Amino acid sequence: MTGQPPVPAAPADPVETLDCLGQRCPLPVIALARRFPSIPVGAVVRVLADDPAAAVDIPAWCRMRAQQYVGAVSVGGRPAFDVRRLS
């Protein structure tokens, strides 16, 4: 044992990216909901969305649908939101 804390696992790369840039609420969440059934369980989908409401809407959708909101990231300086399919 080296005495160093374990390194956290890196988040999974998204299997698909939905480009919802320029779309206003509720279109990014609708796009996610429509595409989600074809995403494999355990996989991550990334939603590119520059509507400020997406930062609230996507985590709320995850809570309502019992899916995992992985977090927000920046892709090319644009906001993106990662969601893992749990079921």
Side-chain angles (χ1 to χ4, degrees):
M1 190 170 221
T2 64
Q4 295 182 7
V7 177
D13 290 330
V15 296
E16 185 167 337
T17 299
L18 301 177
D19 186 352
C20 297
L21 296 171
Q23 296 180 15
R24 296 294 166 227
C25 175
L27 294 178
V29 170
I30 291 171
L32 174 63
R34 284 185 177 158
R35 191 69 183 117
F36 214 67
S38 66
I39 302 299
V41 172
V44 173
V45 63
R46 177 167 287 163
V47 182
L48 303 175
D50 52 3
D51 179 6
V56 175
D57 292 347
I58 292 174
W61 182 88
C62 291
R63 285 189 303 275
M64 290 186 305
R65 301 290 183 219
Q67 304 302 324
Q68 181 185 14
Y69 175 65
V70 178
V73 296
S74 179
V75 176
R78 305 248 173 136
F81 306 91
D82 290 350
V83 176
R84 183 180 314 277
R85 182 170 180 195
L86 299 179
S87 61

